[in-house]
């Protein structure tokens, strides 16, 4: 016999006792129980019922393609029932998909939204979803009270929670893109949620499907559906903008980057982007908090220019620097990140214009690592201007500053070699290459390579291999350096490094008279350029793509060159997050 127990969350303790007694008396009995949480008796198998599948955000869909998603199909079915003229077509399919995404695929929310098609357009419904608890209020009169409105349904879930679960629900709304246990303990674990109580509350919210749990880079990650997050914010009834989450992991990320954990950190911090955006936005919009925003944005400088977030990082940094013009150590660290992004995006003149003031500020605060950065930027500017002699003088000063950073910094690092030393020596090596002294340049690269390998670093090593490939006179050796650099960059999902490696590989292919491959690689690099927002490799002395482009176009003709270039532009470059192993379709197919 099959016994169905529906809505068991009403009387879970009694349901559990009943089920145990019945199963003991009738061993052949099977019980199917529906509930907001598990019955929790021996022999129970739990089958979570997920929200309805929704289309991937920002993906263009046809009407037929959108109807393959159950959430869209439900919306269209209910909307057609209240408005016979409603149809989904290629023009409105994206709007319908967007509505279903924002409603988290929740069937009740989708049904209530579809009813509004009777009086509102799709765009009007979408504009009002931030106030969805007032909008979605017309349910089935014959249905249960908790199914009449979206608020009633979520109220029902909230009332089923314990006090500590409700507190955690409301506090968790500060996370815009999910969180892990460490972040929950740091941000939410106070005033009633101390010690093990938070873990119990977390488990309870997962059991009640209020929090969705998935496997992350370092254990389980949790997130609230958008609808439940809005509800928690409403119940909180006060502005939430506790920037306690600002410090979660960011300082450790900055300190640990130079080492063997870079791929793990890259994936983890990109997974925290939504939370970081929320924290930075709050710092900008809240009086007295711009300094905290500067500290956060500056501490994230490796995320901005080594993990593929250069465009966004520059936006946040420029807004925060404008909002807090007062001199401080936090400000000059944010300035350092901003200047590196300018240099990364090919705006070396603008970077040099600001670097003089930056150097004065770094000197005033006696921060030798930041002074070294300023001297590197000024040195690169002289290289671009065709003055390698002056550039080398500046870059030699940069190396000296990086090595001798003062007794306090040396004591903190306990004699360790600072990553700035490797960075500065690579810049000086470029200067010697441009001046025509490959021996001294090669020695500097080897010293930097040894520093990176001793510390298990990959990202700086990829920069070294890229420079080595760029100036190697043996094409086979140059290609090997470039491939190693590309492999590292893909594992770290760094579009700037990938761009540089592809540009160099294109130059090597052109030098080897393989102009079709050169054109394809140029196309693949161009796709990365749009991601980065510019490139330092577009002009001498770093790398000029123009000579490679001109030679390939002359050898192939305009039509063939454009076809190969476009073919390269369509190729993908990435890595497989399931295995952390790089995939190289660009190099394989190009």
């Amino acid at each position: 016999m099959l016994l169905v127990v529906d809505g068991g969350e009403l009387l879970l303790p009694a349901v559990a006792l009943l089920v145990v007694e019945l199963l003991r008396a009738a061993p052949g009995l099977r019980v199917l129980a529906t509930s907001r949480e598990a019955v929790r008796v021996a022999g129970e198998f739990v089958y979570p019922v997920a929200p309805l599948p929704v289309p991937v955000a920002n993906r263009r869909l046809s009407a037929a393609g959108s109807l393959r998603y159950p959430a869209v199909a439900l919306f269209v079915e209910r909307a057609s029932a209240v408005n016979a003229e409603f149809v989904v077509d290629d023009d409105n399919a994206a709007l319908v998909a967007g509505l279903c995404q924002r409603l988290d695929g929740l069937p009740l929310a989708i049904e209530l939204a579809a009813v509004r098609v009777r009086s509102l357009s799709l765009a009007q419904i979408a504009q009002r979803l931030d106030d969805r608890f007032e909008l979605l209020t017309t349910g089935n009169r014959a249905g249960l009270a908790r199914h009449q409105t979206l608020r009633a349904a979520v109220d029902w879930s909230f009332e089923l929670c314990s006090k500590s679960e409700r507190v955690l629900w409301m506090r968790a709304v500060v996370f815009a893109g999910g969180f892990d246990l460490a972040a929950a303990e740091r941000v939410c674990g106070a005033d009633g949620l101390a010690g093990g109580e938070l873990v119990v509350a977390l488990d309870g919210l997962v059991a009640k499907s209020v929090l969705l749990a998935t496997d992350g880079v370092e254990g389980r990650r949790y997130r609230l559906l958008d609808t439940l997050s809005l509800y928690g914010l409403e119940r909180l009834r006060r502005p939430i903008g506790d920037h306690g989450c600002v410090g979660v992991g960011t300082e450790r990320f900055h300190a640990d980057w130079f080492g063997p954990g870079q791929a793990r950190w890259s994936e983890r911090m990109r997974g925290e982007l939504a939370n970081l955006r929320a924290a930075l936005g709050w710092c900008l919009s809240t009086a007295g908090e711009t300094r905290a925003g500067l500290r956060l944005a500056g501490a994230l400088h490796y995320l901005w220019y080594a993990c593929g977030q250069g465009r966004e990082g520059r936006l946040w940094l420029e807004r925060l620097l404008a909002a807090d013009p007062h001199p401080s150590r936090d400000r000059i660290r944010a300035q350092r990140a901003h200047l590196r992004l300018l240099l990364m995006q090919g705006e070396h003149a603008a970077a040099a214009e600001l670097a003089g003031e930056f150097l004065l500020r770094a000197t005033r605060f006696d921060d030798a690592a930041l002074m070294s950065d300023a001297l590197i930027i000024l040195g690169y500017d002289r290289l671009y201007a065709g003055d390698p002699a002056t550039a080398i003088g500046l870059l030699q000063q940069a190396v000296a500053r990086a090595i001798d950073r003062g007794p306090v910094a040396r004591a903190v690092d306990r004699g360790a070699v600072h990553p700035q030393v490797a960075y500065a020596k690579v810049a000086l090596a470029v200067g010697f290459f441009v001046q025509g002294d490959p021996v001294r340049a090669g020695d500097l690269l080897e010293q930097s390579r040894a520093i990176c390998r001793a510390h298990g670093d990959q990202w700086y090593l990829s920069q070294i291999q890229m420079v080595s490939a760029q100036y190697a006179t043996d094409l086979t050796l140059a290609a090997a350096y470039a491939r190693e650099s590309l492999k590292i960059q893909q594992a770290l999902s760094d579009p700037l490094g990938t761009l540089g490696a592809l540009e160099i590989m294109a130059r090597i292919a052109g030098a080897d008279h393989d102009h079709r491959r050169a054109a394809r690689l140029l196309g693949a690099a161009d796709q990365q350029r749009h991601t980065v927002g510019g490139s330092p490799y577009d002009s001498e002395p770093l790398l000029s793509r123009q000579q490679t482009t001109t030679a390939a176009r002359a050898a192939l003709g305009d039509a063939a060159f454009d076809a190969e270039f476009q073919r390269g532009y369509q190729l993908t470059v990435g890595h497989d997050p399931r295995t952390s192993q790089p995939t190289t379709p660009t190099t394989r197919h190009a």
Side-chain angles (χ1 to χ4, degrees), residues 1-228:
M1 180 180 289
L2 174 68
L3 172 65
V4 177
V5 181
D6 189 24
E9 68 270 9
L10 279 165
L11 298 165
L12 269 181
V15 168
L17 289 173
L18 175 65
V19 167
V20 168
E21 290 298 321
L22 290 173
L23 290 174
R24 184 179 293 128
L29 178 66
R30 295 292 182 268
V31 179
L32 175 63
T34 70
S35 173
R36 299 291 177 96
E37 59 180 309
V39 179
R40 288 191 294 188
V41 297
E44 180 179 25
F45 289 86
V46 179
Y47 297 90
V49 180
L52 296 175
V54 299
V56 178
N58 302 318
R59 180 175 295 176
R60 184 169 178 80
L61 283 174
S62 65
S66 69
L67 287 171
R68 289 197 289 267
Y69 293 90
V72 174
L74 175 63
F75 183 94
V76 173
E77 178 185 313
R78 296 295 190 265
S80 301
V82 298
N83 182 351
E85 296 180 358
F86 177 82
V87 293
V88 63
D89 54 33
D90 290 349
D91 292 328
N92 66 15
L95 263 177
V96 175
L99 283 170
C100 294
Q101 290 157 2
R102 292 188 63 193
L103 293 172
D104 306 306
L106 297 173
L108 177 62
I110 290 170
E111 291 192 11
L112 294 174
V115 171
R116 291 301 185 193
V117 172
R118 181 171 49 209
S119 56
L120 299 175
S121 70
L122 291 173
Q124 288 171 325
I125 296 172
Q127 290 166 3
R128 287 160 175 77
L129 281 188
D130 284 342
D131 197 16
R132 66 192 63 180
F133 294 108
E134 296 302 322
L135 176 70
L136 307 180
T137 57
T138 307
N140 179 1
R141 288 194 180 97
L144 295 171
R146 64 181 182 271
H147 294 165
Q148 295 285 331
T149 69
L150 183 62
R151 184 189 302 281
V154 184
D155 277 340
W156 174 259
S157 292
F158 192 78
E159 294 305 320
L160 289 172
C161 293
S162 68
K163 180 180 177 181
S164 59
E165 289 168 352
R166 295 175 195 175
V167 171
L168 180 56
W169 182 341
M170 289 186 291
R171 291 179 182 175
V173 301
V174 74
F175 297 107
F179 57 96
D180 59 15
L181 179 59
E185 290 172 332
R186 175 78 175 265
V187 177
C188 307
D191 300 329
L193 281 180
E197 192 172 359
L198 183 139
V199 175
V200 173
L202 187 72
D203 181 69
L205 291 180
V206 172
K208 292 178 175 66
S209 298
V210 174
L211 286 175
L212 301 183
T214 56
D215 289 325
V217 179
E218 295 184 337
R220 303 285 270 174
R221 284 186 65 83
Y222 313 93
R223 73 177 181 91
L224 285 166
L225 295 177
D226 189 46
T227 297
L228 301 185

